[in-house]
Amino acid sequence: MTEIADSDFRHPQRHIRLDTILRLRWLAVLGQLAAIFIVAQGLEFNVEIVPCVSIIALSAILNLALQTAVNPMQRLEPMQAAGLLALNIVELAGLLFFTGGLQNPFSFLFLAPVLISATALPARSTFGLGLLAVACASVLFFFHFPLPWDSDDPLVLPPIYLVGVWLSIVLAIGVTSLYSFQVTEEARKLADALAATELVLTREQHLTQIDGLAAAAAHELGTPLATIFLISRELEKTVKDPSFAADLKTLREQTQRCRDILSKITQLSSTGAPFDRMKLSELIEEVVAPHRDFGVDIKVRIAVAAVAEPVGSRNPAILYGVGNIVENAVDFARTTVEVNAWWNKDTIELVISDDGPGIPPDILNRIGEPYLSRRRSQESSGEQRGLGLGVFIARTLLERTGAKVSFTNRTFPEHGAVVNIAWPRQRFEAIETLEETIG
């Protein structure tokens, strides 16, 4: 079976483009200028315009400097991106300091940089930015200029309300950031696992195509080899020199050997097509054969049915999917793996079971998710076992062929895992191209 390591598709470091952060910073500059203009000119409240505009101007100058000195399409290292987001938090804290602190309704914008980090940067960067935002909010709770308001009717908020605002900011930063991080991480895992699935299917398709190419080559080479064989045999009859006769005999024998080899290769594919038609029992035997020499007894039982045995395409997705499940069963089994198959005119069912420890209850309902694993420590058992990316790939490929895959455990007192794979017979027997399988 084709093996794909989790590390080949999981990327511990994440990168965000400078252009993305600069766009957000320019949006913040325009929004802050608009807010100050509306409060000062539209509402005619007393605003500390000079310090506020100075902070915004410094932010704009930094944006221009970064756009000039650095390629905006460059992907920043996590620490660089976190530094720019931290600067956004400090700039916002400075503006809020001159405009009422936590009394200012825009204080909830502390949440924005932390959310951006949660979706694009490592967890430690998000945690650090969250602490910085909470620290700035805590300082503003005690130190800030009055909220711009009507001087004839000043707004006085009770301390308990400000405590509630501070607490809501802290909770919003924690809860929404954690939620965003988990959703983004799940999406990233799924994307990486699907990329691995497509690679596995492509590799399996290439391996299957080799059979067809070999059969085609055998067919094309058969005629010239037959000609060489006939000519060498005729020459052997006419040549009197024993040394030449011996060489011609060797040539004839080696030519015949080549023909025999090509004849065996031709048996790999009777039609020369990349996907051969094969009976269900033949498919099962092809999948099971590579795993018979690992000290585990594999019992194959084919139920006798009143209808003819299903014949399907030699589909790489089915071969890999069923093969991966059989391989996992052999890895976890103590002594025996059972592969049972039955069919009728509507359904084909394949049941693969083992006598191993079974699937832990806490992950039974999550089997098939990418990167889900339950591994034994090397200290306790000397080996590692898991159900992760391989099972996800197998389940995805099988479901794309129309199968329904379910995972259960044997009923007590028996122990072991049971995997049930069921196809609609019409779908299984249909000839599918690689594009239909991937799509």
Side-chain angles (χ1 to χ4, degrees):
M1 303 306 297
T2 304
E3 296 183 355
I4 300 294
D6 291 2
S7 58
D8 292 342
F9 293 91
R10 302 188 72 180
H11 308 287
Q13 285 196 347
R14 305 159 192 170
H15 302 276
I16 185 171
R17 289 190 306 174
L18 175 61
D19 180 67
T20 302
I21 294 183
L22 288 178
R23 287 176 183 271
L24 295 173
R25 286 180 58 82
W26 279 121
L27 181 62
V29 167
L30 295 177
Q32 292 160 0
L33 286 175
I36 291 175
F37 177 79
I38 292 173
V39 172
Q41 302 298 322
L43 302 178
E44 297 183 350
F45 289 166
N46 184 21
V47 183
E48 299 291 339
I49 295 180
V50 174
C52 289
V53 171
S54 299
I55 294 175
I56 296 173
L58 290 174
S59 178
I61 291 172
L62 177 60
N63 291 351
L64 289 172
L66 289 174
Q67 282 187 321
T68 303
V70 184
N71 182 5
M73 295 297 106
Q74 175 181 336
R75 294 191 177 273
L76 300 175
E77 292 295 323
M79 290 302 297
Q80 295 172 336
L84 288 176
L85 292 174
L87 185 59
N88 289 350
I89 294 175
V90 174
E91 291 171 352
L92 178 61
L95 290 172
L96 292 175
F97 174 78
F98 291 105
T99 56
L102 297 187
Q103 299 178 21
N104 191 321
F106 288 101
S107 60
F108 277 91
L109 289 177
F110 277 129
L111 186 60
V114 185
L115 281 179
I116 295 171
S117 176
T119 58
L121 299 179
R124 61 180 181 273
S125 299
T126 303
F127 182 74
L129 290 172
L131 290 180
L132 177 61
V134 171
C136 291
S138 301
V139 172
L140 291 173
F141 181 86
F142 297 101
F143 306 102
H144 58 81
F145 277 61
L147 179 70
W149 205 258
D150 187 357
S151 57
D152 296 332
D153 185 20
L155 178 65
V156 179
L157 297 175
I160 188 64
Y161 176 82
L162 296 180
V163 172
V165 172
W166 177 86
L167 185 60
S168 63
I169 292 175
V170 173
L171 291 178
I173 290 175
V175 174
T176 58
S177 299
L178 179 61
Y179 176 79
S180 299
F181 178 82
Q182 289 181 336
V183 170
T184 304
E185 185 67 14
E186 287 298 322
R188 186 179 294 108
K189 286 181 179 180
L190 184 60
D192 292 345
L194 287 175
T197 302
E198 300 297 346
L199 178 59
V200 166
L201 185 56
T202 301
R203 289 180 178 179
E204 290 297 312
Q205 190 266 348
H206 288 166
L207 291 175
T208 306
Q209 281 183 333
I210 291 175
D211 290 349
L213 293 174
H219 177 76
E220 295 297 328
L221 292 173
T223 300
L225 282 175
T227 303
I228 295 173
F229 177 81
L230 291 174
I231 293 175
S232 62
R233 187 174 62 180
E234 294 300 323
L235 288 174
E236 187 180 357
K237 293 178 180 179
T238 59
V239 172
K240 303 302 181 180
D241 190 332
S243 61
F244 283 109
D247 291 340
L248 288 171
K249 181 180 178 181
T250 302
L251 176 62
R252 176 176 57 81
E253 292 174 348
Q254 293 302 313
T255 303
Q256 181 60 42
R257 182 182 177 188
C258 289
R259 294 177 68 190
D260 294 339
I261 293 173
L262 291 179
S263 178
K264 293 179 181 180
I265 294 176
T266 305
Q267 295 175 3
L268 293 174
S269 176
S270 58
T271 64
F275 298 102
D276 294 334
R277 305 289 291 170
M278 61 193 314
K279 294 181 179 180
L280 178 63
S281 57
E282 295 172 349
L283 183 149
I284 293 173
E285 183 57 34
E286 180 171 343
V287 168
V288 168
H291 306 288
R292 289 193 180 278
D293 299 325
F294 292 93
V296 175
D297 183 21
I298 303 179
K299 299 179 180 179
V300 178
R301 296 188 177 94
I302 308 295
V304 179
V307 295
E309 183 176 354
V311 178
S313 59
R314 190 174 183 274
N315 191 308
I318 296 177
L319 291 174
Y320 181 89
V322 177
N324 184 275
I325 293 174
V326 171
E327 182 179 3
N328 272 315
V330 171
D331 287 343
F332 282 90
R334 292 192 175 103
T335 59
T336 306
V337 170
E338 295 182 3
V339 181
N340 300 316
W342 67 271
W343 61 85
N344 56 30
K345 64 178 181 179
D346 299 318
T347 306
I348 298 171
E349 188 166 339
L350 191 63
V351 179
I352 302 168
S353 59
D354 62 72
D355 61 351
I359 303 172
D362 58 324
I363 66 173
L364 182 60
N365 293 330
R366 299 172 56 201
I367 289 293
E369 294 182 10
Y371 305 109
L372 174 68
S373 64
R374 170 62 66 88
R375 300 188 179 275
R376 301 178 182 177
S377 63
Q378 293 182 346
E379 293 80 3
S380 61
S381 64
E383 60 181 342
Q384 289 188 345
R385 297 184 178 183
L387 291 171
L389 183 58
V391 174
F392 169 83
I393 293 174
R395 183 172 192 168
T396 300
L397 292 178
L398 290 172
E399 288 178 347
R400 288 181 175 182
T401 66
K404 291 184 179 179
V405 185
S406 60
F407 298 83
T408 58
N409 285 322
R410 286 181 169 178
T411 305
F412 185 82
E414 295 183 345
H415 50 81
V418 179
V419 182
N420 185 286
I421 309 170
W423 287 273
R425 178 164 181 151
Q426 184 178 5
R427 180 71 181 272
F428 179 86
E429 292 185 328
I431 299 177
E432 297 181 351
T433 63
L434 176 64
E435 289 75 18
E436 289 172 339
T437 303
I438 295 179

Coordinates of all heavy atoms in Angstrom, one line a residue, residues 30 34 40 70 84 103 105 145 217 242 246 256 276 297 324 328 336 355 365 367 376 390-391 395 405 420 435:
L30 N -8.5 54.7 8.0 CA -9.6 55.4 7.4 C -10.8 55.4 8.4 O -11.5 56.4 8.5 CB -10.0 54.8 6.1 CG -9.0 54.8 5.0 CD1 -9.5 54.1 3.7 CD2 -8.7 56.3 4.6
A34 N -12.4 58.8 10.1 CA -13.8 59.0 9.9 C -14.5 59.2 11.3 O -15.4 60.1 11.5 CB -14.5 57.9 9.1
A40 N -16.1 65.0 16.2 CA -15.6 66.4 16.4 C -16.5 67.4 15.6 O -16.8 68.4 16.1 CB -14.1 66.5 16.0
V70 N 9.2 46.8 1.6 CA 9.0 45.4 1.5 C 8.0 45.0 0.5 O 7.0 45.8 0.3 CB 8.6 44.8 2.9 CG1 8.5 43.3 2.9 CG2 9.5 45.3 4.0
L84 N 3.2 43.0 14.1 CA 2.3 44.0 13.5 C 0.9 44.0 14.1 O 0.3 45.1 14.3 CB 2.2 43.8 12.0 CG 3.5 44.1 11.1 CD1 3.2 43.7 9.7 CD2 3.8 45.6 11.3
Q103 N -15.1 53.2 28.3 CA -16.4 53.8 28.0 C -16.7 54.0 26.5 O -17.8 54.1 26.1 CB -16.5 55.2 28.7 CG -16.3 55.1 30.2 CD -16.3 56.5 30.9 OE1 -16.8 57.5 30.3 NE2 -15.8 56.6 32.1
P105 N -17.4 52.8 23.0 CA -17.9 51.6 22.4 C -17.0 50.9 21.4 O -17.1 49.7 21.2 CB -19.2 52.0 21.7 CG -19.1 53.5 21.5 CD -18.2 54.0 22.6
F145 N -8.7 59.5 29.4 CA -9.3 60.8 29.3 C -10.8 60.6 29.3 O -11.3 59.5 29.0 CB -8.9 61.5 28.0 CG -7.6 62.2 28.2 CD1 -6.4 61.5 28.4 CD2 -7.5 63.6 28.0 CE1 -5.2 62.1 28.6 CE2 -6.3 64.2 28.1 CZ -5.1 63.5 28.4
A217 N 2.7 -3.3 -24.3 CA 4.0 -3.6 -24.7 C 4.2 -5.0 -25.1 O 4.9 -5.4 -26.1 CB 5.0 -3.2 -23.7
P242 N 29.2 -26.4 -35.6 CA 28.7 -26.6 -34.3 C 28.7 -25.4 -33.4 O 27.7 -25.1 -32.6 CB 29.6 -27.7 -33.7 CG 30.2 -28.4 -34.9 CD 30.3 -27.3 -35.9
A246 N 25.3 -23.8 -31.8 CA 25.1 -23.6 -30.4 C 24.7 -22.1 -30.0 O 23.8 -21.9 -29.2 CB 26.4 -23.9 -29.6
Q256 N 12.5 -17.5 -26.8 CA 11.3 -18.2 -26.3 C 11.1 -17.8 -24.8 O 9.9 -17.6 -24.4 CB 11.5 -19.7 -26.4 CG 10.3 -20.5 -25.8 CD 9.1 -20.2 -26.6 OE1 9.1 -20.1 -27.8 NE2 8.0 -20.1 -25.9
D276 N -9.2 -3.1 -15.3 CA -9.8 -4.3 -15.8 C -11.1 -4.6 -15.0 O -11.3 -4.1 -14.0 CB -8.8 -5.5 -15.5 CG -7.5 -5.3 -16.3 OD1 -7.6 -4.7 -17.4 OD2 -6.5 -5.8 -15.9
D297 N -3.6 -14.9 10.7 CA -4.4 -15.7 9.8 C -5.6 -14.9 9.2 O -6.4 -14.3 10.0 CB -5.0 -16.9 10.6 CG -5.8 -17.8 9.7 OD1 -5.6 -17.8 8.5 OD2 -6.6 -18.6 10.3
N324 N -6.3 -0.6 2.7 CA -5.9 0.1 3.9 C -6.6 -0.4 5.1 O -6.1 -0.6 6.2 CB -6.2 1.6 3.7 CG -5.7 2.4 4.9 OD1 -6.4 2.6 5.9 ND2 -4.5 3.0 4.8
N328 N -5.0 -2.2 8.4 CA -5.2 -1.8 9.8 C -5.7 -3.0 10.6 O -5.3 -3.2 11.8 CB -6.2 -0.7 9.8 CG -5.6 0.7 9.7 OD1 -4.6 1.0 10.3 ND2 -6.1 1.5 8.9
T336 N -6.3 -13.3 14.2 CA -7.1 -13.6 13.1 C -7.8 -12.3 12.5 O -8.2 -11.5 13.3 CB -8.2 -14.6 13.4 OG1 -7.6 -15.8 14.0 CG2 -9.1 -15.0 12.2
D355 N -9.6 -9.7 15.7 CA -9.8 -10.0 17.1 C -8.9 -9.2 18.0 O -8.4 -9.7 19.0 CB -9.5 -11.5 17.3 CG -8.1 -11.9 16.9 OD1 -7.4 -11.1 16.3 OD2 -7.7 -13.1 17.2
N365 N -17.1 7.1 17.3 CA -18.0 8.0 16.4 C -17.2 9.0 15.6 O -17.8 9.7 14.8 CB -19.0 8.7 17.3 CG -20.0 7.7 17.9 OD1 -20.3 6.7 17.4 ND2 -20.5 8.1 19.1
I367 N -14.2 8.0 14.0 CA -13.4 7.3 13.0 C -13.6 7.9 11.6 O -14.7 8.0 11.2 CB -13.6 5.8 13.1 CG1 -13.1 5.3 14.4 CG2 -12.9 5.1 11.9 CD1 -11.6 5.3 14.5
R376 N -0.3 3.8 21.0 CA 0.3 3.3 22.3 C 1.7 3.9 22.4 O 2.4 4.0 21.5 CB 0.4 1.8 22.2 CG -1.0 1.1 22.0 CD -0.8 -0.4 21.8 NE -2.0 -1.1 21.6 CZ -2.1 -2.4 21.4 NH1 -1.1 -3.1 21.4 NH2 -3.3 -2.9 21.2
G390 N -4.6 7.6 7.2 CA -4.9 6.4 6.3 C -6.3 6.0 6.3 O -6.9 5.8 5.2
V391 N -7.0 6.0 7.4 CA -8.4 5.6 7.5 C -9.2 6.7 6.8 O -10.2 6.4 6.1 CB -8.8 5.3 8.9 CG1 -10.3 5.1 9.0 CG2 -8.1 4.1 9.5
R395 N -11.6 5.9 3.7 CA -13.1 6.1 3.8 C -13.5 7.1 2.7 O -14.5 6.9 2.1 CB -13.4 6.7 5.2 CG -14.9 6.9 5.4 CD -15.3 7.2 6.8 NE -16.7 7.1 7.0 CZ -17.3 7.2 8.2 NH1 -16.5 7.3 9.3 NH2 -18.6 7.1 8.3
V405 N -19.5 3.3 4.5 CA -18.5 2.7 5.4 C -18.9 3.0 6.8 O -19.1 4.2 7.2 CB -17.1 3.3 5.1 CG1 -16.1 2.5 6.0 CG2 -16.8 3.1 3.6
N420 N -17.8 -2.3 8.1 CA -18.7 -2.7 7.1 C -18.7 -1.8 5.9 O -18.8 -0.6 6.0 CB -20.1 -2.7 7.7 CG -21.2 -3.3 6.8 OD1 -21.6 -2.6 5.9 ND2 -21.7 -4.5 7.1
E435 N -11.5 10.3 -13.6 CA -12.1 11.6 -13.3 C -13.4 11.4 -12.5 O -13.7 12.2 -11.7 CB -12.4 12.3 -14.6 CG -11.1 12.8 -15.3 CD -10.4 11.6 -16.0 OE1 -11.0 10.5 -16.2 OE2 -9.2 11.8 -16.3

